[in-house]
Amino acid sequence: MFNIDKDAFKKDYLKKFLELHGKELEKGTQQNKYETLGSLVRDYVAKAWIDTNKRYNQTGEKQVYYFSMEFLLGRLLGDALLNLGIRDVCKEALDELNIDLRELEEFEHDQGLGNGGLGRLAACFLDSMASLNIPGHGCGIRYKYGFFEQKIMNGAQVEAPDYWLKEGNVWEMKKPDKSEIVKFGGDVRVEAVNGRLSFTHINYEPVLAIPYDTPVVGYKNDVVNTLRLWSAEPVSNEFDFSSFSRGDFLKAIEYKNSVEAISHVLYPDDTFYEGKILRLKQQYFFVSAGIQSILRYFKDNGHNLMNLDDMLAIHINDTHPTLAIPELMRLLMDEEGMSWEDAWRITTNTVSYTNHTILAEALEKWPVDMFKKLLPRIYMIVEEINKRFCQDLWNKYIGQWDKISKMSIIGDGYVRMANLAIVGSHSVNGVAKLHTEILKKQEMKEFYYLYPRKFNNKTNGITHRRWLIKSNPELTSLLKDTIGEGWIKHPTDLENFARFSKDKLVLGKLAEIKNNNKKSLAKIIYDSNGIKVDPNSIFDVQVKRIHAYKRQTLNCLRIMDLYNRLIDNPDLDIVPRTFIFAGKAAPGYYLAKKTIELINAVGEKINNDKRIKDKIKVVYMENYRVSQAEDIIPATDVSEQISTTTKEASGTSNMKFMMNGAITVATLDGANVEIRDEVGDDNIIIFGLTEREVLNYYSKGGYSAWETCNSDSRLRRVTQDIINGYYSPDKDRFKTVFEHLLTYNDEFFVLKDFDSYVRAQDRVDNIYRDIDKWQSMAAINIAHSGVFSSDRTIQEYATGIWGSGYLYKNL
Ligand code: 26Q
């Protein structure tokens, strides 16, 4: 394992500083000091990185490639230090140089190349693969601009570009010698050569794909895997301005711009799927570059392509990288001369697919015309896959045309990516038990009947290294003091902490730690929002993307109702609460943006109303991101997981919160169901419609939002307050929110679940009064959070899907 002592570290640091900046340390800026530390750590990592790759070459271990449009890594410095096992040494050494390690860590700009859950999951998986000694690498896009930065101005979201590379990125290594060419557009020339059809792509537009590699450091095990992100650049000789006539010059600029656009910016997810050609280009760009480079490396090492499926696995994170399937087919057939049958067997054995959503409106589909024009050869292959697939269906389901046309990969003028992903892979998994059941019983039932063995569940997880050890050092110390350190390698050992759930001393410590974390967060809130919040109040938190189905509106309505109760009775006996929100809305998602405005308007009024004597406060923290989540989650008492049952595939913040001792208020949706199963009904607060009730309403109707509203005076009042000027002089400002609830019959049952939610919150108030009881629940939650480590999830992927890794070999 990597090792260094304090003095050697100090020496290395000073040497590096001089080398990079050529001045005295005292004259260095924070940027200089951060950069020095980053480069030094990268040097330390380099040797293990090389050794890991060498070892993979020699052993021929099965390599996993995790393809994802998003990797939401956040900051890397603290994680790298922790996993190298030198964080303490580094801190001591820097202390002696009068440098505050925390400040340097906080100086780092988040690497925010993801929207939310799906991108963060990919990042947690990388960390777990490296830490479990599984040869697993990420493949994605090096967006020049990450997910936009959010500012809250006059209570509304304003977007600014996230130019995360502005100050450089110490973690990446540009590898121009490992570039690939990706071809777009053009035509396909088909000829018969030696009795076999040959396909030549002509008149295409070439794009140079340049990889940037980032090391992924395993936890104290000398393993360093690779995250490879591709950047699009013009092919150099196409871009020789000086030799071009004026007409060609403009063309050359057009070409340059259109190429660079590919890796320019990450698309925000707004659940309403829209087929943008640039997005399709992005998908093919990184998939093609990634697979070409994998095959090149594979062949360079002298392996036989007929053994490809034994030696590597390709995983696709949602349908976004589904083109991996036809692209692998293309390379195996057109470039390597394999037969369709062999290529198909190898491709399907190699590729596996995770589904992350059941929202039908979010399913990816591409207009055939657009697809064909941009990717002519790939389209031919997809057509052939579909032809053969439909042939099978005709033989199996004689005369059942409706079923066949529903399952077809191409239909209604679109290429349906989920269908392609299911047909072209050997494994389809959902991300929580309930979600997988819904896929099997409803959304994908035809496919499930056809391929029952392909479908499986892999409940999501989170890396406890970042989300507990790094973000909550005090809780980590308490755990070490009480149950030792075994849980760090074996997170389910956290169960031993349950023994302390009645130990007053330990519960007191838990309360104290929570309080300290709340004080830190209170300071952050004061610095950013200018709002004074009381660390002794309940910190009640909902942080996640803003979506109608996640129901921030439900949370907001009950705050409005509580406010009304306080106005009507200023002596109302409640435990003071601070409601904390954070999250971004997709720029084109009007309702979500209006929801943010409503929350801010409600906050503005409540926070300035002297009558309620500071009993409640509402805070909207701007620009939610990984590093901010690391500040908020350890300071949370109540975790709001209140999506409409059946709609949230899994959720992962729910796991982060419980691991940090928050109590969950939840619907039985996504992984909340499994959290409930782990901690028991007494240690979680469940409310709302059941799965069956929701599915019934959706299939049979019978829900009237108006009736629900009219029969409840609290609801009548709060919904009216949305549009009567109570929260804004502009009565129309939140009309959309009102209409979604009442005019359009409340698609997500906000009003229906209101009463049950309010009662759940009253229980919270009651339980919190007995702080030992509360902390005892917190202890049980922490103790049972171990199964939600992504280490468990990754072990399941490795043994159940990829057939890879140490554990697999020793089965
Ligand atoms: C698609 C087309 C065009 C533009 C954007 C997109 C797009 C981008 C991102 C569609 C979806 C996403 C992200 C989805 C996502 O984060 N889903 C979440 O995945 C988590 C990890 O499995 C789950 O825990 C959440 O329940 C699920 O909502």
Side-chain angles (χ1 to χ4, degrees):
M1 202 178 79
F2 183 76
N3 215 341
I4 192 162
D5 67 32
K6 186 187 67 187
D7 292 327
F9 186 94
K10 230 163 85 177
K11 217 169 115 200
D12 283 356
Y13 186 86
L14 289 169
K15 184 161 164 254
K16 190 82 183 171
F17 186 90
L18 198 66
E19 214 174 273
L20 286 179
H21 307 295
K23 57 183 170 190
E24 293 145 60
L25 186 60
E26 298 71 44
K27 301 243 166 74
T29 61
Q30 280 299 69
Q31 166 72 22
N32 295 155
K33 291 175 192 168
Y34 161 77
E35 228 174 74
T36 306
L37 184 56
S39 323
L40 186 58
V41 172
R42 202 188 54 192
D43 291 351
Y44 291 157
V45 167
K47 188 180 170 313
W49 202 0
I50 293 168
D51 289 348
T52 304
N53 282 327
K54 250 195 223 148
R55 176 161 63 79
Y56 291 159
N57 270 337
Q58 282 160 2
T59 59
E61 285 173 82
K62 192 166 194 176
Q63 304 287 307
V64 177
Y65 296 95
Y66 195 84
F67 277 62
S68 177
M69 287 283 270
E70 311 194 356
F71 288 93
L72 189 44
L73 299 183
R75 293 175 177 147
L76 297 181
L77 177 58
D79 243 39
L81 289 171
L82 178 75
N83 286 5
L84 279 178
I86 58 167
R87 201 156 180 235
D88 294 339
V89 168
C90 169
K91 188 180 169 341
E92 287 165 26
L94 292 180
D95 276 347
E96 289 184 12
L97 296 171
N98 271 327
I99 298 172
D100 183 342
L101 174 61
R102 264 190 78 99
E103 277 178 22
L104 291 195
E105 284 180 357
E106 279 167 18
F107 184 82
E108 184 174 358
H109 196 305
D110 277 46
Q111 188 159 331
L113 309 186
N115 273 280
L118 169 148
R120 184 54 230 175
L121 187 75
C124 285
F125 280 6
L126 291 181
D127 184 69
S128 284
M129 288 192 288
S131 296
L132 292 174
N133 194 3
I134 289 171
H137 314 282
C139 179
I141 298 175
R142 180 181 179 269
Y143 302 102
K144 195 164 169 192
Y145 294 90
F147 198 40
F148 68 87
E149 270 185 27
Q150 178 199 54
K151 301 223 158 54
I152 302 293
M153 291 167 86
N154 301 322
Q157 167 173 299
V158 175
E159 300 96 20
D162 166 42
Y163 188 26
W164 66 289
L165 291 164
K166 192 168 49 208
E167 314 275 7
N169 172 11
V170 291
W171 305 111
E172 65 185 12
M173 299 274 270
K174 184 174 181 176
K175 302 267 175 74
D177 57 313
K178 301 255 162 67
S179 297
E180 300 288 347
I181 302 277
V182 179
K183 303 170 179 176
F184 291 100
D187 310 292
V188 179
R189 197 172 59 212
V190 188
E191 295 157 306
V193 180
N194 301 332
R196 187 189 149 105
L197 285 183
S198 113
F199 299 86
T200 317
H201 197 169
I202 53 174
N203 303 327
Y204 55 80
E205 183 178 84
V207 173
L208 187 66
I210 302 186
Y212 288 72
D213 289 353
T214 298
V216 181
V217 183
Y219 184 76
K220 298 187 182 173
N221 64 357
D222 282 335
V223 173
V224 181
N225 289 336
T226 303
L227 168 60
R228 174 161 284 185
L229 300 179
W230 297 90
S231 175
E233 288 193 16
V235 176
S236 59
N237 57 8
E238 307 275 324
F239 176 56
D240 182 1
F241 287 122
S242 55
S243 67
F244 279 40
S245 67
R246 183 162 166 75
D248 282 348
F249 176 77
L250 288 178
K251 244 192 175 160
I253 293 189
E254 234 172 67
Y255 165 67
K256 179 175 184 280
N257 288 342
S258 90
V259 166
E260 284 171 357
I262 296 174
S263 51
H264 198 70
V265 63
L266 164 76
Y267 270 98
D269 151 43
D270 42 20
T271 58
F272 308 105
Y273 175 72
E274 214 186 321
K276 294 246 176 51
I277 191 163
L278 183 57
R279 170 103 179 158
L280 184 59
K281 262 189 163 177
Q282 291 186 329
Q283 296 187 345
Y284 185 65
F285 166 73
F286 93 97
V287 157
S288 175
I291 294 195
Q292 288 186 65
S293 85
I294 290 169
L295 292 190
R296 191 180 305 283
Y297 173 81
F298 187 82
K299 287 194 297 178
D300 284 353
N301 282 318
H303 301 306
N304 181 345
L305 285 167
M306 292 306 260
N307 301 328
L308 188 86
D309 49 336
D310 281 337
M311 303 199 60
L312 63 90
I314 292 175
H315 198 88
I316 58 179
N317 197 20
D318 215 293
T319 53
H320 317 152
T322 301
L323 293 172
I325 293 163
E327 177 66 1
L328 185 53
M329 288 293 289
R330 180 185 76 81
L331 290 163
L332 292 178
M333 295 187 305
D334 296 2
E335 307 283 327
E336 306 295 339
M338 223 180 250
S339 69
W340 179 279
E341 288 72 20
D342 284 340
W344 183 244
R345 189 189 65 251
I346 290 172
T347 300
T348 49
N349 281 341
T350 302
V351 177
S352 47
Y353 153 60
T354 299
N355 172 286
H356 295 266
T357 184
I358 55 157
L359 299 177
E361 65 271 26
L363 289 181
E364 279 196 303
K365 52 185 198 210
W366 296 102
V368 164
D369 292 344
M370 179 199 286
F371 194 115
K372 210 191 241 172
K373 198 153 179 253
L374 188 70
L375 308 167
R377 176 62 184 135
I378 293 297
Y379 184 74
M380 291 168 83
I381 292 170
V382 172
E383 238 180 354
E384 182 66 24
I385 294 173
N386 192 42
K387 201 180 98 195
R388 289 173 188 240
F389 173 61
C390 289
Q391 205 102 51
D392 285 350
L393 295 182
W394 291 330
N395 295 334
K396 241 193 187 94
Y397 304 127
I398 296 161
Q400 299 184 48
W401 302 112
D402 283 354
K403 185 175 186 139
I404 296 171
S405 69
K406 194 171 168 208
M407 295 174 81
S408 176
I409 296 167
I410 304 172
D412 302 325
Y414 288 97
V415 180
R416 301 164 178 161
M417 302 305 263
N419 298 23
L420 178 56
I422 299 170
V423 175
S425 64
H426 66 279
S427 168
V428 178
N429 75 282
V431 290
K433 275 186 198 150
L434 175 68
H435 170 59
T436 302
E437 284 311 305
I438 294 174
L439 289 180
K440 295 202 293 199
K441 281 195 312 224
Q442 310 250 328
E443 273 358 83
M444 297 181 166
K445 63 169 185 270
E446 291 83 6
F447 286 102
Y448 176 57
Y449 286 122
L450 182 64
Y451 308 123
R453 288 155 52 92
K454 277 194 194 186
F455 284 75
N456 62 92
N457 176 248
K458 297 284 170 282
T459 299
N460 281 166
I462 54 164
T463 167
H464 59 291
R465 286 166 291 274
R466 178 180 293 259
W467 295 107
L468 173 54
I469 302 173
K470 176 163 167 267
S471 63
N472 201 340
E474 287 193 41
L475 179 54
T476 303
S477 302
L478 177 65
L479 289 167
K480 285 184 184 169
D481 292 346
T482 47
I483 60 170
E485 301 197 3
W487 58 274
I488 296 180
K489 285 260 174 199
H490 304 285
T492 45
D493 285 359
L494 281 171
E495 270 171 31
N496 295 327
F497 193 58
R499 276 191 285 134
F500 296 90
S501 66
K502 298 273 179 284
D503 182 322
K504 294 239 175 212
L505 197 76
V506 171
L507 298 182
K509 287 243 171 71
L510 266 185
E512 190 187 321
I513 292 167
K514 185 61 84 181
N515 203 256
N516 289 342
N517 291 335
K518 286 162 76 175
K519 282 184 194 148
S520 308
L521 182 62
K523 181 171 179 322
I524 294 172
I525 290 173
Y526 183 71
D527 291 346
S528 58
N529 293 47
I531 300 173
K532 275 210 170 106
V533 302
D534 177 4
N536 294 314
S537 64
I538 297 175
F539 279 19
D540 178 323
V541 177
Q542 187 175 18
V543 290
K544 48 184 81 252
R545 292 295 304 281
I546 312 297
H547 272 300
Y549 84 83
K550 293 180 190 279
R551 300 200 295 190
Q552 280 89 359
T553 318
L554 176 59
N555 193 348
C556 190
L557 290 183
R558 66 92 188 213
I559 296 170
M560 292 158 70
D561 174 57
L562 180 59
Y563 177 47
N564 288 340
R565 278 152 75 188
L566 284 166
I567 295 294
D568 294 349
N569 173 13
D571 294 325
L572 187 73
D573 179 23
I574 61 161
V575 181
R577 266 203 224 201
T578 302
F579 301 100
I580 298 169
F581 290 85
K584 296 176 185 176
Y589 190 173
Y590 189 72
L591 175 63
K593 291 177 108 172
K594 284 292 169 184
T595 306
I596 295 178
E597 283 185 46
L598 177 62
I599 295 166
N600 275 290
V602 168
E604 185 69 23
K605 189 161 174 90
I606 290 179
N607 298 343
N608 294 305
D609 191 331
K610 295 277 175 308
R611 292 173 294 175
I612 59 168
K613 302 180 200 129
D614 288 340
K615 280 186 181 165
I616 57 175
K617 286 267 163 75
V618 182
V619 176
Y620 203 106
M621 296 182 74
E622 71 182 5
N623 203 29
Y624 186 56
R625 61 198 184 282
V626 174
S627 59
Q628 191 186 63
E630 289 170 39
D631 293 330
I632 296 175
I633 290 169
T636 295
D637 295 307
V638 177
S639 156
E640 299 285 346
Q641 307 298 337
I642 61 176
S643 54
T644 309
T645 302
T646 74
K647 295 292 178 187
E648 189 71 271
S650 160
T652 41
S653 74
N654 44 5
M655 302 167 184
K656 295 164 196 162
F657 281 114
M658 82 177 289
M659 192 175 272
N660 283 276
I663 307 304
T664 312
V665 171
T667 49
L668 281 178
D669 195 19
N672 302 342
V673 178
E674 285 144 271
I675 293 179
R676 194 268 320 256
D677 292 346
E678 286 297 322
V679 303
D681 283 310
D682 292 344
N683 297 297
I684 187 168
I685 295 167
I686 299 293
F687 75 98
L689 292 173
T690 61
E691 175 203 1
R692 185 184 298 195
E693 287 167 326
V694 169
L695 293 178
N696 250 320
Y697 275 133
Y698 280 131
S699 62
K700 305 204 177 93
Y703 171 52
S704 163
W706 273 111
E707 266 172 35
T708 306
C709 183
N710 280 330
S711 61
D712 185 327
S713 59
R714 299 165 302 176
L715 276 177
R716 279 201 307 271
R717 187 163 164 195
V718 290
T719 52
Q720 278 308 309
D721 286 347
I722 297 176
I723 48 162
N724 64 11
Y726 194 59
Y727 290 105
S728 164
D730 172 6
K731 290 185 182 172
D732 286 341
R733 188 165 180 202
F734 313 119
K735 206 168 104 202
T736 301
V737 178
F738 178 88
E739 286 176 345
H740 196 260
L741 293 175
L742 288 153
T743 318
Y744 302 112
N745 205 35
D746 186 17
E747 188 186 347
F748 296 109
F749 306 106
V750 170
L751 302 177
K752 187 77 194 168
D753 274 347
F754 176 81
D755 176 63
S756 147
Y757 184 50
V758 170
R759 280 188 283 122
Q761 296 295 352
D762 288 344
R763 279 180 61 201
V764 168
D765 182 285
N766 249 315
I767 300 170
Y768 197 85
R769 290 162 196 259
D770 179 352
I771 198 64
D772 274 350
K773 161 99 179 109
W774 184 271
Q775 289 305 340
S776 161
M777 288 169 71
I780 298 280
N781 271 271
I782 296 165
H784 291 279
S785 67
V787 288
F788 298 107
S789 164
S790 44
D791 288 4
R792 188 267 313 148
T793 315
I794 283 297
Q795 270 161 11
E796 290 180 1
Y797 274 84
T799 52
I801 300 179
W802 303 327
S804 73
Y806 169 80
L807 287 147
Y808 183 77
K809 279 173 283 179
N810 286 288
L811 272 183

